[in-house]
Amino acid sequence: MHKQKKEIYNFQSEVKQLLHLMIHSLYSNKEIFLRELISNSSDAIDKLRFESISLPELYENDSDLKIQISVNKAQNTLIISDNGIGMSKKDTIENLGTIAKSGTKAFLKSLEQQKNKKNELIGEFGVGFYSVFMVSDHVSIRTRFAGTQSDEGVLWESSGEGEYKITNIIKKNRGTEITLFLKKEEAEFLETWRIKNIINKYSDHITVPVYMQNYDEKNKTYFWEKINQAKALWTLNKSSITDEEYKTFYKNLTHDQHDPLVWSHNHVEGKQEYISLLYVPQKAAWDIWNRDNKNGLKLYVKRVYIMDNSHEFLPNYLRFIRGLLDSNDLPLNISREILQNNSITEKLKKALVKKSLNMLDRLSVNNVEKYQVFWNEFGLVLKEGPAEDHENIEKIANLLRFTSIKNNNSEQNISLKKYVSNMHEKQEKIYYITADSYLSAKNSPHLEIFKKNNIDVLLLSDRIDEWMMNYLVEFQGKKFQSISKEDISINKLTKEKKINNNEISQDMINFLKKTKTILGNKVKDVRFTNRLTETPCVLLSDSSEMTTQMAKLFSAAGQSIPELKYIFEINPEHLLIKKICFINDEKIFNEWITLLLDQALLSEKGHLDNPHEFISRMNKLLLKK
Ligand code: ADP
Ligand code: MG
């Protein structure tokens, strides 16, 4: 005999928190609960299809896979059932009593941090099954795992407060049936037109047919009506799909509430056969900077769902791309491990990278405004590209955006193409500077000669920039040149005469000699420069040495680096230098030279090792008549 044993369990505390939120928040878009339930049923059917590849007996002679919806107005109930994989008792406890997904935990955390955006976040995270409690007083689930020899199923019941009940029951058909006892004020969800409308909006293109029970007044009978298209959108002909359908599909796939910026849908035949549907979102996923961020492409093989979030098909620097891949070449029984070491995967990855980069390129040409939205949101991610993907470096470089002296604001909107096309006739190199911030780049003394000669310089101040520039060697045959490094190419472009020591007064030459002696091996060299107009002196890195920004990156990563030695360049035309030149008191002269070096160091590095010493030295000199 079957035991009718009732067991009572407590929800995990995170679930309680989530449920409390669901029930008490004023989320206006409650209809999404139906989207979540349909999506779970569809997932359960996809799982069954997948598992039955190796275990056909899971079908139990019923391969007519479907989701059914019915209502009972007298009892205020809405019933959604599927003949998918179902759940065992253990499954229900694990899946419907706890939150295993790191995503939902993160969701709760971000809720705490941004309370005022609560409603927006509920939509964004797609909080799944628990959303039923937004509209229900009580929920009961009857479920049985597929392929079991007996009819033993489970009944799961809860009012969404602290606990849920589990009872053993008999269930003839495999799969899951969920009954919602709707709150009085949510009776609209009993109306056929309302349900059809929601399914149409969110679930038209899931691959499983959804049927709704209807009553035929004339014949006084019930019948089932199919209410979705049940055709995988990506298998349809591009020309038969509207923009709206693409957008809705995207939102269902990603739970993102914003429209995508652009998409690329391809049916590919020939050596490789696959369909890809790739989207560029408008907003970065909340975990885009997490090392273990979960988003990847949804993978199908010959229309059969295989897995979510496969990371194997796109490199890291394109991790913002969402969408799906349906391959005809991969085997159905593929696992993540096999996927990782597979020549087909490699080829698909290459192809998808090309498709993604082309999609971005098209956007950058066809819709500059949207491209700017993309760049502001994902530029930092794309900047990882040059280091990660040497093969496509020219294409990636073409997608990068910068600000520059001439741009006159911090928005990164200048392409390298544009920079090159505006270069001086005789200019051979693409000049750039890296610094900690836009302002510090923009005001760097290194720029003085460029400003004076009207030569544009790219101003880079994102943390990743220095690292990226290590990999970007040239663009359209023009080499990149950091202007804080020693380089003579600028001399050809300027009206300034080269410094000729013969034309410099003996006093200045003595000044240079004395300075060299005082600074000794604190610097690599001391010399005069014509590069400065406003500033008395500046530090340059030797062309073979690491730049200041690079050194900062290394030390931020905890790596020890040899002390940087700079070339100390002095502007002999500067009034301060002319003044110091005539100081006879050796001690004071000494102090001045040290102060000058510290100034230049401060400007180059943004900080000093011993700022107090610098300040007291400066104060001392200020007090001198
Ligand atoms: P998610 O779908 O993102 O995993 P949900 O909260 O929507 O999160 O669902 C939690 C889990 O409950 C699912 O992962 C699945 O294991 C299980 N589940 C929910 N609905 C069904 C169903 N109709 N059939 C089988 N399992 C289900
Ligand atoms: Mg779900």
Side-chain angles (χ1 to χ4, degrees), residues 306-320:
I306 305 292
M307 64 179 84
D308 284 314
N309 300 324
S310 45
H311 297 273
E312 288 76 11
F313 299 101
L314 287 173
N316 256 321
Y317 75 95
L318 293 174
R319 63 182 175 274
F320 49 83

Side-chain angles (χ1 to χ4, degrees), residues 103-156:
T104 315
K105 284 191 183 144
F107 165 70
L108 287 169
K109 219 167 157 196
S110 64
L111 270 183
E112 275 163 29
Q113 286 156 5
Q114 351 185 9
K115 285 212 167 68
N116 49 341
K117 284 176 73 191
K118 196 153 88 178
N119 291 347
E120 230 172 273
L121 283 166
I122 292 179
E124 199 167 311
F125 276 80
V127 278
F129 167 74
Y130 300 109
S131 62
V132 291
F133 290 104
M134 294 195 291
V135 295
S136 318
D137 283 327
H138 187 80
V139 174
S140 76
I141 303 177
R142 302 174 69 250
T143 184
R144 173 167 77 69
F145 194 75
T148 358
Q149 298 299 318
S150 66
D151 301 343
E152 281 182 33
V154 267
L155 171 66
W156 181 103

Side-chain angles (χ1 to χ4, degrees), residues 578-595:
K578 287 184 175 164
K579 179 184 157 172
I580 298 170
C581 183
F582 292 104
I583 293 177
N584 289 323
D585 183 326
E586 237 173 78
K587 239 179 158 180
I588 296 172
F589 183 83
N590 218 313
E591 296 280 317
W592 269 111
I593 298 303
T594 314
L595 185 78

Side-chain angles (χ1 to χ4, degrees), residues 35-37 39-41 43 101 126-129 255:
R35 170 187 80 186
E36 297 297 330
L37 292 182
S39 126
N40 284 348
S41 285
D43 288 350
K101 285 178 299 182
V127 278
F129 167 74
H255 288 295

